[in-house]
Amino acid sequence: MNFDRTRAAGVLAAELARLYGAELQRRLAPLGLSAAQFLVLSELWAEDGQTQRQLTARLGVEQATMANTLARMERDRLIERMPHPDDRRAQIVALSDAARTLRAEAVDAAAEVNQSVLEGLPAAERELFLSMLGRIVNAMRTPGTNPQT
């Protein structure tokens, strides 16, 4: 049996993720942001004042990766860290004023990339593609679930 990488869901998903990431990086670079920083900022724009642990869980990245990303963001004055009021071991990660001012431009850049990913599909197929993609991701996050239900 031959392996056809042009028909392998994982290979195609990985290639889509790679191409999307590269284009997102290209569009965010003029704002001084990386794609990883944008994801963290997106979480903080939705809910400011999270712990590193919360951000790690919500974004599904390794703790060390998040620590490095946050260190760079603090260096670049995109976030501020302050002591957690209830847990001496934790810190609250909060948006800086600079990060707040980047929101509109960064979100617009990401929306443009998303649009470019979907522009070759008719509107009905876009919705179907996104729905199917979401179901597949959710099923893979929860082993043992059936994506057909």
Side-chain angles (χ1 to χ4, degrees), residues 5-149:
R5 64 188 242 33
T6 66
R7 304 290 299 161
V11 172
L12 293 170
E15 182 66 0
L16 175 60
R18 185 188 69 76
L19 293 168
Y20 174 86
E23 183 62 15
L24 182 61
Q25 183 65 48
R26 186 183 76 73
R27 302 248 184 136
L28 292 172
L31 302 176
L33 296 175
S34 70
Q37 290 171 330
F38 174 75
L39 291 175
V40 172
L41 289 174
S42 294
E43 281 297 321
L44 292 172
W45 288 325
E47 182 183 340
D48 198 6
Q50 297 183 52
T51 65
Q52 181 173 322
R53 180 174 292 206
Q54 288 172 310
L55 290 167
T56 299
R58 290 179 181 182
L59 292 173
V61 298
E62 296 291 325
Q63 185 72 20
T65 301
M66 181 59 68
N68 289 334
T69 300
L70 292 177
R72 285 190 309 275
M73 293 176 75
E74 188 173 34
R75 177 201 68 202
D76 295 343
R77 295 188 171 101
L78 294 170
I79 61 162
E80 299 167 351
R81 297 189 212 212
M82 53 201 93
H84 192 286
D86 303 322
D87 184 349
R88 289 185 304 197
R89 297 168 296 160
Q91 292 182 322
I92 298 293
V93 178
L95 292 164
S96 69
D97 289 339
R100 284 186 188 88
T101 64
L102 289 173
R103 182 178 186 171
E105 284 183 276
V107 168
D108 286 350
E112 290 170 8
V113 175
N114 282 319
Q115 180 61 35
S116 72
V117 167
L118 300 172
E119 69 187 3
L121 298 174
E125 287 184 12
R126 290 177 191 180
E127 291 306 313
L128 180 60
F129 173 72
L130 292 171
S131 172
M132 292 168 52
L133 199 56
R135 289 193 336 250
I136 291 167
V137 168
N138 286 333
M140 292 191 73
R141 283 186 179 147
T142 312
T145 61
N146 184 349
Q148 296 176 356
T149 58

